[in-house]
Amino acid sequence: MSGDARFRIEALTDDAEARRLRIRWGDGHESRFHYVWLRHACFYPANPGLDPRNETLRPPDDPDRLALETMTLDDGVLAIRWAPDGESTRHEARWLREHCYCEDARRARKHRPSLWDGATAMALPWFAYDELSDDEGVYRLFLRIRDHGLARLRGVPATRDAIEHLAGLFGPIHETNYGRIFDVRTDSDIAVAANKASFLGPHTDENYRHAPPGISLFHCLEASANGGGESLLVDGFLAAERLSVSDPEAFELLGRVPIRFVGDSHQNDHLWAEGRVICRDGDGDVVGIRYTDRTLPPLDLPEDLIEPMYRALRAFAQELYSPNLPLRYLMRPGDLHVFDNQRVLHARTAFDPTAGTRHLQQCAVDRDEFHYRLRLMAIRRGLDDARLVMAGGALA
Ligand SMILES: [Fe+2]
């Protein structure tokens, strides 16, 4: 049994009226575990021999009738025999503490994003491409994207296959209408705003998909010659937080009412999805952003929401366009930025297309695959980070 007081059960009380157990731990913390939860969790992890196909692993059919027949605590294992079905469960004390679901414990298991404005992001160190030849470097890169939703790399070979190689670190490439790799250049045959030379406001990509791209990569092969075409990146979580203070009604509305997004070219006119601009989880925390001001169709909402929603969109845009919010820089050949497209908005200043060729390549990987690989790396390092609940993104 662990000598750590956090995992030592000091007192065990059956609160039959509330159909739950109360456990007081060696460090004074109290956990409450409902019968139905303990019964359902019968397969963790003191019962390694249980067949996962066993039907008793389903949530109990009649939780209100569950009762304790016997309960023993022996060498850090809580063993319970349940009425009325006579089934048994065994739970290790440590596992129970690690899965305590009181508010504080759940919050502690939740990842807290690091919010940034332009100055903060500018001060973050770049990654050198060479760092990624080693597993520790890749892990550091993953953590930066998890925490800040953004990382910048330099020294990436300015070749067409480099982005594909880098994307492979995060997961399989998410193919779009424009293929696996999208060439952003003004002489492209693909008539989308990205391939024009005009200013492009802060937006997340492909909001017209139920699941927009997750981790997005932009690699510069050729920079514009006259200094235009700067990249801007905005932390949507910070913009949402600022909106919650400056205009709570707008924040509430954008987090509650989905609106429709459509594709941004004629070939995409029939590709559309609805989603919330500011996505919040069950705790009310902002976990995703879905936003563009360029391809929104006229709103299709109940009459009494039309004006409030236009006002709310305007208020959010004002936050996004705050001068100190974006990280702003001119990408050079070999620069690559990778960001969470369901958190970070990207934009571009106008440039002169006759002054030289500006050529970026873009591709994306799904966020769940990124999160999965990050957890595997944390598990290999024996870190609790593997259990952190990460932001659910723009699908929430
Ligand atoms: Fe874009």
Side-chain angles (χ1 to χ4, degrees):
M1 191 171 104
S2 169
D4 190 328
R6 287 177 302 157
F7 304 126
R8 194 172 62 241
I9 294 178
E10 290 285 342
L12 184 61
T13 310
D14 178 16
D15 184 358
E17 201 168 318
R19 290 194 299 278
R20 64 187 185 184
L21 296 186
R22 286 206 309 270
I23 294 179
R24 199 179 72 246
W25 300 94
D27 63 351
H29 184 78
E30 184 180 282
S31 300
R32 294 167 293 278
F33 295 108
H34 289 84
Y35 291 170
V36 64
W37 185 93
L38 289 163
R39 181 71 174 72
H40 179 216
C42 60
F43 46 97
Y44 284 111
N47 288 326
L50 263 183
D51 182 345
R53 291 164 298 186
N54 188 316
E55 66 168 17
T56 62
L57 304 186
R58 295 181 2 247
D61 289 331
D62 196 357
D64 293 346
R65 289 183 62 220
L66 278 175
L68 294 186
E69 205 167 280
T70 61
M71 173 171 71
T72 60
L73 179 64
D74 186 20
D75 198 23
V77 174
L78 172 67
I80 299 172
R81 189 174 159 82
W82 297 97
D85 59 8
E87 287 286 345
S88 297
T89 57
R90 289 163 55 79
H91 295 98
E92 289 168 354
R94 183 188 183 103
W95 184 88
L96 286 172
R97 177 62 190 267
E98 286 175 344
H99 292 79
C100 170
Y101 50 87
C102 73
E103 187 178 342
D104 287 349
R106 289 188 68 251
R107 206 150 260 291
R109 285 199 293 272
K110 206 165 173 183
H111 174 252
R112 305 298 298 172
S114 305
L115 306 190
W116 48 268
D117 59 14
T120 317
M122 191 61 92
L124 290 170
W126 289 67
F127 286 82
Y129 181 69
D130 293 347
E131 278 179 70
L132 306 182
S133 56
D134 137 291
D135 196 45
E136 281 308 309
V138 174
Y139 186 56
R140 283 196 299 277
L141 175 65
F142 269 64
L143 292 182
R144 175 72 64 76
I145 299 165
R146 179 194 70 182
D147 297 343
H148 292 84
L150 166 70
R152 289 191 290 170
L153 282 74
R154 90 177 13 132
V156 179
T159 56
R160 293 187 63 83
D161 59 351
I163 193 169
E164 185 144 12
H165 168 70
L166 265 172
L169 294 174
F170 305 113
I173 288 178
H174 172 115
E175 191 155 343
T176 72
N177 285 11
Y178 312 120
R180 288 164 55 76
I181 310 287
F182 175 43
D183 283 283
V184 183
R185 52 189 302 158
T186 49
D187 55 2
S188 168
D189 293 337
I190 300 175
V192 294
N195 283 338
K196 299 194 171 86
S198 50
F199 170 75
L200 206 52
H203 63 282
T204 54
D205 272 347
E206 301 201 17
N207 304 296
Y208 45 82
R209 292 183 182 276
H210 288 291
I215 304 299
S216 201
L217 297 90
F218 279 78
H219 180 206
C220 178
L221 297 181
E222 292 175 84
S224 59
N226 64 353
E230 284 181 300
S231 295
L232 293 94
L233 295 151
V234 177
D235 185 359
F237 286 4
L238 177 61
E241 185 183 275
R242 288 169 55 144
L243 183 68
S244 72
V245 176
S246 65
D247 193 336
E249 282 178 25
F251 176 76
E252 190 278 332
L253 191 60
L254 295 177
R256 179 168 56 85
V257 177
I259 58 173
R260 185 172 306 161
F261 296 88
V262 298
D264 58 355
S265 72
H266 293 301
Q267 73 183 37
N268 281 343
D269 277 348
H270 301 292
L271 191 54
W272 54 270
E274 296 195 341
R276 292 169 178 79
V277 172
I278 297 174
C279 299
R280 301 164 72 189
D281 66 10
D283 300 319
D285 294 328
V286 174
V287 291
I289 300 292
R290 182 191 292 257
Y291 178 80
T292 180
D293 54 8
R294 191 165 35 82
T295 57
L296 279 180
L299 296 175
D300 179 7
L301 290 176
E303 281 181 38
D304 60 340
L305 290 181
I306 294 291
E307 284 191 333
M309 183 58 85
Y310 277 111
R311 263 198 300 274
L313 288 166
R314 175 77 187 138
F316 189 49
Q318 278 172 335
E319 293 295 351
L320 291 173
Y321 281 82
S322 302
N324 63 336
L325 234 58
L327 166 70
R328 176 175 180 149
Y329 78 112
L330 182 66
M331 293 185 88
R332 304 282 180 194
D335 291 352
L336 181 146
H337 51 240
V338 45
F339 59 91
D340 181 346
N341 179 59
Q342 297 183 26
R343 165 179 175 180
V344 173
L345 302 96
H346 58 288
R348 181 200 62 213
T349 62
F351 62 97
D352 177 2
T354 64
T357 306
R358 178 181 185 269
H359 183 194
L360 307 185
Q361 285 193 313
Q362 177 187 4
C363 71
V365 172
D366 291 336
R367 290 171 84 255
D368 46 1
E369 187 71 23
F370 168 77
H371 288 169
Y372 168 63
R373 294 191 181 189
L374 176 55
R375 287 192 192 104
L376 291 184
M377 284 192 276
I379 288 168
R380 282 203 298 276
R381 288 163 175 78
L383 298 173
D384 285 346
D385 287 40
R387 289 164 29 80
L388 282 178
V389 177
M390 289 180 272
L395 308 174

PDB file of all heavy atoms in Angstrom, residues 182 184 193-194 200-206 216 218 264 292 294 339 341 345-347 362, ligand 1:
ATOM      1  N   PHE A 182      -2.455  22.114 -49.400  1.00  0.00           N
ATOM      2  CA  PHE A 182      -3.059  23.238 -50.119  1.00  0.00           C
ATOM      3  C   PHE A 182      -1.970  24.277 -50.385  1.00  0.00           C
ATOM      4  O   PHE A 182      -1.302  24.732 -49.447  1.00  0.00           O
ATOM      5  CB  PHE A 182      -4.178  23.816 -49.253  1.00  0.00           C
ATOM      6  CG  PHE A 182      -4.822  25.058 -49.813  1.00  0.00           C
ATOM      7  CD1 PHE A 182      -5.135  25.158 -51.160  1.00  0.00           C
ATOM      8  CD2 PHE A 182      -5.118  26.126 -48.983  1.00  0.00           C
ATOM      9  CE1 PHE A 182      -5.733  26.299 -51.663  1.00  0.00           C
ATOM     10  CE2 PHE A 182      -5.719  27.271 -49.481  1.00  0.00           C
ATOM     11  CZ  PHE A 182      -6.026  27.353 -50.826  1.00  0.00           C
ATOM     12  N   VAL A 184      -0.976  27.877 -51.091  1.00  0.00           N
ATOM     13  CA  VAL A 184      -1.511  29.238 -50.979  1.00  0.00           C
ATOM     14  C   VAL A 184      -0.624  30.135 -51.830  1.00  0.00           C
ATOM     15  O   VAL A 184       0.514  30.449 -51.443  1.00  0.00           O
ATOM     16  CB  VAL A 184      -1.489  29.717 -49.507  1.00  0.00           C
ATOM     17  CG1 VAL A 184      -2.116  31.110 -49.403  1.00  0.00           C
ATOM     18  CG2 VAL A 184      -2.212  28.738 -48.602  1.00  0.00           C
ATOM     19  N   ALA A 193     -10.247  33.032 -51.042  1.00  0.00           N
ATOM     20  CA  ALA A 193      -9.667  34.291 -50.554  1.00  0.00           C
ATOM     21  C   ALA A 193      -8.190  34.136 -50.183  1.00  0.00           C
ATOM     22  O   ALA A 193      -7.406  35.072 -50.338  1.00  0.00           O
ATOM     23  CB  ALA A 193     -10.462  34.776 -49.353  1.00  0.00           C
ATOM     24  N   ALA A 194      -7.822  32.954 -49.686  1.00  0.00           N
ATOM     25  CA  ALA A 194      -6.427  32.749 -49.284  1.00  0.00           C
ATOM     26  C   ALA A 194      -5.484  32.973 -50.461  1.00  0.00           C
ATOM     27  O   ALA A 194      -4.333  33.370 -50.287  1.00  0.00           O
ATOM     28  CB  ALA A 194      -6.244  31.339 -48.731  1.00  0.00           C
ATOM     29  N   LEU A 200      -6.859  39.657 -45.300  1.00  0.00           N
ATOM     30  CA  LEU A 200      -7.717  38.556 -44.874  1.00  0.00           C
ATOM     31  C   LEU A 200      -7.870  38.677 -43.365  1.00  0.00           C
ATOM     32  O   LEU A 200      -6.880  38.637 -42.635  1.00  0.00           O
ATOM     33  CB  LEU A 200      -7.012  37.247 -45.238  1.00  0.00           C
ATOM     34  CG  LEU A 200      -7.803  35.980 -45.489  1.00  0.00           C
ATOM     35  CD1 LEU A 200      -8.908  36.203 -46.493  1.00  0.00           C
ATOM     36  CD2 LEU A 200      -6.845  34.894 -45.975  1.00  0.00           C
ATOM     37  N   GLY A 201      -9.116  38.889 -42.902  1.00  0.00           N
ATOM     38  CA  GLY A 201      -9.342  39.107 -41.468  1.00  0.00           C
ATOM     39  C   GLY A 201      -9.200  37.835 -40.653  1.00  0.00           C
ATOM     40  O   GLY A 201      -9.178  36.725 -41.208  1.00  0.00           O
ATOM     41  N   PRO A 202      -9.129  37.980 -39.323  1.00  0.00           N
ATOM     42  CA  PRO A 202      -8.948  36.812 -38.462  1.00  0.00           C
ATOM     43  C   PRO A 202     -10.097  35.809 -38.622  1.00  0.00           C
ATOM     44  O   PRO A 202     -11.267  36.199 -38.542  1.00  0.00           O
ATOM     45  CB  PRO A 202      -8.948  37.398 -37.043  1.00  0.00           C
ATOM     46  CG  PRO A 202      -8.717  38.853 -37.207  1.00  0.00           C
ATOM     47  CD  PRO A 202      -9.222  39.233 -38.555  1.00  0.00           C
ATOM     48  N   HIS A 203      -9.751  34.570 -38.848  1.00  0.00           N
ATOM     49  CA  HIS A 203     -10.778  33.545 -39.034  1.00  0.00           C
ATOM     50  C   HIS A 203     -10.207  32.187 -38.653  1.00  0.00           C
ATOM     51  O   HIS A 203      -8.989  31.992 -38.629  1.00  0.00           O
ATOM     52  CB  HIS A 203     -11.245  33.499 -40.496  1.00  0.00           C
ATOM     53  CG  HIS A 203     -10.155  33.108 -41.453  1.00  0.00           C
ATOM     54  ND1 HIS A 203      -9.177  33.988 -41.863  1.00  0.00           N
ATOM     55  CD2 HIS A 203      -9.864  31.927 -42.059  1.00  0.00           C
ATOM     56  CE1 HIS A 203      -8.343  33.372 -42.695  1.00  0.00           C
ATOM     57  NE2 HIS A 203      -8.726  32.117 -42.827  1.00  0.00           N
ATOM     58  N   THR A 204     -11.094  31.260 -38.367  1.00  0.00           N
ATOM     59  CA  THR A 204     -10.689  29.860 -38.295  1.00  0.00           C
ATOM     60  C   THR A 204     -11.110  29.225 -39.611  1.00  0.00           C
ATOM     61  O   THR A 204     -12.054  29.683 -40.262  1.00  0.00           O
ATOM     62  CB  THR A 204     -11.358  29.138 -37.105  1.00  0.00           C
ATOM     63  OG1 THR A 204     -12.777  29.318 -37.185  1.00  0.00           O
ATOM     64  CG2 THR A 204     -10.852  29.689 -35.773  1.00  0.00           C
ATOM     65  N   ASP A 205     -10.417  28.172 -40.000  1.00  0.00           N
ATOM     66  CA  ASP A 205     -10.659  27.586 -41.320  1.00  0.00           C
ATOM     67  C   ASP A 205     -11.811  26.582 -41.311  1.00  0.00           C
ATOM     68  O   ASP A 205     -12.016  25.865 -40.333  1.00  0.00           O
ATOM     69  CB  ASP A 205      -9.399  26.854 -41.800  1.00  0.00           C
ATOM     70  CG  ASP A 205      -8.459  27.792 -42.559  1.00  0.00           C
ATOM     71  OD1 ASP A 205      -8.892  28.895 -42.920  1.00  0.00           O
ATOM     72  OD2 ASP A 205      -7.295  27.404 -42.778  1.00  0.00           O
ATOM     73  N   GLU A 206     -12.503  26.562 -42.434  1.00  0.00           N
ATOM     74  CA  GLU A 206     -13.496  25.527 -42.741  1.00  0.00           C
ATOM     75  C   GLU A 206     -14.547  25.362 -41.650  1.00  0.00           C
ATOM     76  O   GLU A 206     -14.866  24.255 -41.212  1.00  0.00           O
ATOM     77  CB  GLU A 206     -12.797  24.193 -43.046  1.00  0.00           C
ATOM     78  CG  GLU A 206     -11.846  24.338 -44.217  1.00  0.00           C
ATOM     79  CD  GLU A 206     -11.504  23.019 -44.890  1.00  0.00           C
ATOM     80  OE1 GLU A 206     -12.214  22.027 -44.686  1.00  0.00           O
ATOM     81  OE2 GLU A 206     -10.518  23.003 -45.648  1.00  0.00           O
ATOM     82  N   SER A 216      -3.433  22.921 -37.528  1.00  0.00           N
ATOM     83  CA  SER A 216      -3.189  23.441 -38.871  1.00  0.00           C
ATOM     84  C   SER A 216      -1.734  23.867 -39.007  1.00  0.00           C
ATOM     85  O   SER A 216      -1.173  24.450 -38.077  1.00  0.00           O
ATOM     86  CB  SER A 216      -4.124  24.633 -39.090  1.00  0.00           C
ATOM     87  OG  SER A 216      -4.293  24.881 -40.445  1.00  0.00           O
ATOM     88  N   PHE A 218       1.156  25.881 -41.498  1.00  0.00           N
ATOM     89  CA  PHE A 218       1.464  26.756 -42.636  1.00  0.00           C
ATOM     90  C   PHE A 218       2.973  26.815 -42.782  1.00  0.00           C
ATOM     91  O   PHE A 218       3.672  27.153 -41.826  1.00  0.00           O
ATOM     92  CB  PHE A 218       0.951  28.183 -42.393  1.00  0.00           C
ATOM     93  CG  PHE A 218      -0.506  28.379 -42.674  1.00  0.00           C
ATOM     94  CD1 PHE A 218      -1.466  27.948 -41.764  1.00  0.00           C
ATOM     95  CD2 PHE A 218      -0.928  28.998 -43.837  1.00  0.00           C
ATOM     96  CE1 PHE A 218      -2.819  28.144 -42.012  1.00  0.00           C
ATOM     97  CE2 PHE A 218      -2.276  29.197 -44.086  1.00  0.00           C
ATOM     98  CZ  PHE A 218      -3.222  28.767 -43.175  1.00  0.00           C
ATOM     99  N   ASP A 264     -16.590  28.931 -48.809  1.00  0.00           N
ATOM    100  CA  ASP A 264     -16.249  30.268 -49.267  1.00  0.00           C
ATOM    101  C   ASP A 264     -15.999  30.347 -50.767  1.00  0.00           C
ATOM    102  O   ASP A 264     -15.393  31.265 -51.242  1.00  0.00           O
ATOM    103  CB  ASP A 264     -15.036  30.798 -48.509  1.00  0.00           C
ATOM    104  CG  ASP A 264     -13.831  29.904 -48.654  1.00  0.00           C
ATOM    105  OD1 ASP A 264     -13.953  28.823 -49.264  1.00  0.00           O
ATOM    106  OD2 ASP A 264     -12.772  30.273 -48.166  1.00  0.00           O
ATOM    107  N   THR A 292     -15.620  33.250 -38.695  1.00  0.00           N
ATOM    108  CA  THR A 292     -15.136  34.003 -39.847  1.00  0.00           C
ATOM    109  C   THR A 292     -16.116  35.141 -40.068  1.00  0.00           C
ATOM    110  O   THR A 292     -17.286  35.018 -39.732  1.00  0.00           O
ATOM    111  CB  THR A 292     -15.039  33.126 -41.117  1.00  0.00           C
ATOM    112  OG1 THR A 292     -14.566  33.930 -42.193  1.00  0.00           O
ATOM    113  CG2 THR A 292     -16.393  32.553 -41.495  1.00  0.00           C
ATOM    114  N   ARG A 294     -16.177  36.505 -43.159  1.00  0.00           N
ATOM    115  CA  ARG A 294     -16.087  36.624 -44.611  1.00  0.00           C
ATOM    116  C   ARG A 294     -17.093  35.739 -45.336  1.00  0.00           C
ATOM    117  O   ARG A 294     -17.507  36.054 -46.440  1.00  0.00           O
ATOM    118  CB  ARG A 294     -14.662  36.251 -45.021  1.00  0.00           C
ATOM    119  CG  ARG A 294     -14.263  36.529 -46.416  1.00  0.00           C
ATOM    120  CD  ARG A 294     -12.745  36.445 -46.546  1.00  0.00           C
ATOM    121  NE  ARG A 294     -12.138  35.439 -45.696  1.00  0.00           N
ATOM    122  CZ  ARG A 294     -12.062  34.152 -45.988  1.00  0.00           C
ATOM    123  NH1 ARG A 294     -12.550  33.694 -47.104  1.00  0.00           N
ATOM    124  NH2 ARG A 294     -11.473  33.307 -45.136  1.00  0.00           N
ATOM    125  N   PHE A 339      -0.792  25.572 -35.478  1.00  0.00           N
ATOM    126  CA  PHE A 339      -1.711  26.097 -34.457  1.00  0.00           C
ATOM    127  C   PHE A 339      -3.000  25.289 -34.411  1.00  0.00           C
ATOM    128  O   PHE A 339      -3.343  24.558 -35.347  1.00  0.00           O
ATOM    129  CB  PHE A 339      -2.006  27.586 -34.712  1.00  0.00           C
ATOM    130  CG  PHE A 339      -2.610  27.876 -36.060  1.00  0.00           C
ATOM    131  CD1 PHE A 339      -3.984  27.889 -36.246  1.00  0.00           C
ATOM    132  CD2 PHE A 339      -1.798  28.138 -37.150  1.00  0.00           C
ATOM    133  CE1 PHE A 339      -4.548  28.161 -37.483  1.00  0.00           C
ATOM    134  CE2 PHE A 339      -2.347  28.402 -38.409  1.00  0.00           C
ATOM    135  CZ  PHE A 339      -3.713  28.416 -38.573  1.00  0.00           C
ATOM    136  N   ASN A 341      -6.536  25.146 -34.911  1.00  0.00           N
ATOM    137  CA  ASN A 341      -7.499  25.903 -35.725  1.00  0.00           C
ATOM    138  C   ASN A 341      -8.855  26.054 -35.035  1.00  0.00           C
ATOM    139  O   ASN A 341      -9.706  26.806 -35.496  1.00  0.00           O
ATOM    140  CB  ASN A 341      -7.679  25.202 -37.082  1.00  0.00           C
ATOM    141  CG  ASN A 341      -8.667  25.907 -37.984  1.00  0.00           C
ATOM    142  OD1 ASN A 341      -8.486  27.070 -38.317  1.00  0.00           O
ATOM    143  ND2 ASN A 341      -9.734  25.218 -38.360  1.00  0.00           N
ATOM    144  N   LEU A 345      -7.084  32.081 -34.404  1.00  0.00           N
ATOM    145  CA  LEU A 345      -7.538  32.608 -35.687  1.00  0.00           C
ATOM    146  C   LEU A 345      -6.336  33.131 -36.453  1.00  0.00           C
ATOM    147  O   LEU A 345      -5.397  33.663 -35.849  1.00  0.00           O
ATOM    148  CB  LEU A 345      -8.539  33.747 -35.471  1.00  0.00           C
ATOM    149  CG  LEU A 345      -9.783  33.346 -34.663  1.00  0.00           C
ATOM    150  CD1 LEU A 345      -9.606  33.689 -33.196  1.00  0.00           C
ATOM    151  CD2 LEU A 345     -11.033  34.007 -35.216  1.00  0.00           C
ATOM    152  N   HIS A 346      -6.371  32.954 -37.756  1.00  0.00           N
ATOM    153  CA  HIS A 346      -5.269  33.468 -38.557  1.00  0.00           C
ATOM    154  C   HIS A 346      -5.771  34.522 -39.531  1.00  0.00           C
ATOM    155  O   HIS A 346      -6.950  34.547 -39.899  1.00  0.00           O
ATOM    156  CB  HIS A 346      -4.499  32.345 -39.263  1.00  0.00           C
ATOM    157  CG  HIS A 346      -5.332  31.492 -40.169  1.00  0.00           C
ATOM    158  ND1 HIS A 346      -6.249  30.576 -39.710  1.00  0.00           N
ATOM    159  CD2 HIS A 346      -5.383  31.416 -41.522  1.00  0.00           C
ATOM    160  CE1 HIS A 346      -6.816  29.968 -40.734  1.00  0.00           C
ATOM    161  NE2 HIS A 346      -6.318  30.467 -41.847  1.00  0.00           N
ATOM    162  N   ALA A 347      -4.851  35.400 -39.918  1.00  0.00           N
ATOM    163  CA  ALA A 347      -5.186  36.511 -40.809  1.00  0.00           C
ATOM    164  C   ALA A 347      -3.938  36.848 -41.605  1.00  0.00           C
ATOM    165  O   ALA A 347      -2.846  36.307 -41.335  1.00  0.00           O
ATOM    166  CB  ALA A 347      -5.654  37.710 -39.993  1.00  0.00           C
ATOM    167  N   GLN A 362      -0.163  24.595 -46.867  1.00  0.00           N
ATOM    168  CA  GLN A 362      -0.998  24.420 -45.680  1.00  0.00           C
ATOM    169  C   GLN A 362      -1.547  23.003 -45.658  1.00  0.00           C
ATOM    170  O   GLN A 362      -1.902  22.437 -46.696  1.00  0.00           O
ATOM    171  CB  GLN A 362      -2.170  25.422 -45.736  1.00  0.00           C
ATOM    172  CG  GLN A 362      -3.150  25.281 -44.594  1.00  0.00           C
ATOM    173  CD  GLN A 362      -4.379  26.178 -44.767  1.00  0.00           C
ATOM    174  OE1 GLN A 362      -4.522  26.860 -45.787  1.00  0.00           O
ATOM    175  NE2 GLN A 362      -5.254  26.158 -43.797  1.00  0.00           N
TER     176      GLN A 362
HETATM  177 FE    FE B   1      -7.591  30.428 -43.629  1.00  0.00          FE
END
